[in-house]
Amino acid sequence: SNSRALLGLLDDVLDLSRLEAGMDKVFLSVCDLHFLVHSMLDVGHLNMAQGVELVNEGPREKLLVMTDEVKLTKVFMNLIGNAKKFTVRGHIAVGAEITSDGTWVECRVEDTGIGISPENLEHIFDRFYKVNEFKQGTGLGLSICEAIIELLGGRIWVESTLGKGTTFYFRIPYRRPEEEDI
Ligand code: ATP
Ligand code: MG
């Protein structure tokens, strides 16, 4: 498991360097958000803390968007991984929808975990920043999420109440697939 942790760290460092050097490209393809959220939850169920419920608030049926599925998956994995790490009871909800004006795909990962204080919240996207040094992790996950979402032309933000829970939101431009893409 130490080897796996080391590989994960290397992956994160390389990911972030590539993103920051502007060397990472966006690969658009047709992605079904309903299926994506579903598979995120499938993976999320593995080594879940007992007493935490995973809730699917994704699209109820097929919802096709043009996006970089690999990068979007990476963002979800990071946010769900964090939610799992900092939540021991209650729920973790994953949602995705098109905003009512039809311009964005807006996603969220909500938890009823330990929450983040306003002072710490300001630094949460900084590289290597961790509130608790003793918790597992490098403090790169959110920096990677932010860099990916910016590359995709969107933004990411967070709302949190200490002791109550945290919700990360991000939105990326909604591109409807053309007939010939599908
Ligand atoms: P890594 O993701 O590199 O393995 P990490 O999870 O510590 O390590 P980030 O994902 O960047 O790093 O998160 C930074 C810090 O933000 C965390 O260490 C934690 O203190 C805080 N944090 C992130 N998500 C949550 C959350 N859902 N609830 C409470 N605190 C959080
Ligand atoms: Mg993390």
Side-chain angles (χ1 to χ4, degrees), residues 109-166:
V109 177
E110 176 197 303
D111 69 55
T112 55
I114 62 171
I116 307 164
S117 72
E119 309 84 74
N120 290 324
L121 216 46
E122 284 178 37
H123 305 286
I124 219 75
F125 292 100
D126 295 353
R127 281 184 275 169
F128 301 111
Y129 186 83
K130 294 168 65 173
V131 173
N132 181 348
E133 277 308 316
F134 298 103
K135 270 282 186 190
Q136 201 179 43
T138 317
L140 288 178
L142 288 176
S143 311
I144 293 171
C145 290
E146 188 176 47
I148 288 177
I149 294 302
E150 274 175 11
L151 179 67
L152 296 180
R155 70 184 188 94
I156 182 169
W157 70 101
V158 55
E159 288 170 5
S160 188
T161 308
L162 197 58
K164 284 238 162 80
T166 305

Side-chain angles (χ1 to χ4, degrees), residues 78 82 85 141-142:
N78 266 304
N82 283 349
K85 192 156 50 170
L142 288 176

Side-chain angles (χ1 to χ4, degrees), residues 32-101:
D32 176 7
L33 275 181
H34 167 73
F35 179 79
L36 183 81
V37 173
H38 226 3
S39 29
M40 291 297 91
L41 292 186
D42 271 350
V43 181
H45 270 113
L46 304 172
N47 56 57
M48 269 294 280
Q50 274 198 350
V52 182
E53 196 192 346
L54 261 182
V55 186
N56 187 335
E57 293 180 349
R60 299 214 172 272
E61 49 202 63
K62 190 152 103 169
L63 176 57
L64 299 181
V65 303
M66 288 295 281
T67 190
D68 190 320
E69 193 164 0
V70 173
K71 291 195 176 64
L72 198 56
T73 300
K74 207 172 272 180
V75 173
F76 268 123
M77 295 283 269
N78 266 304
L79 297 180
I80 294 170
N82 283 349
K84 282 166 68 173
K85 192 156 50 170
F86 299 105
T87 308
V88 291
R89 68 180 70 82
H91 68 259
I92 297 170
V94 180
E97 63 201 24
I98 310 294
T99 54
S100 52
D101 63 0

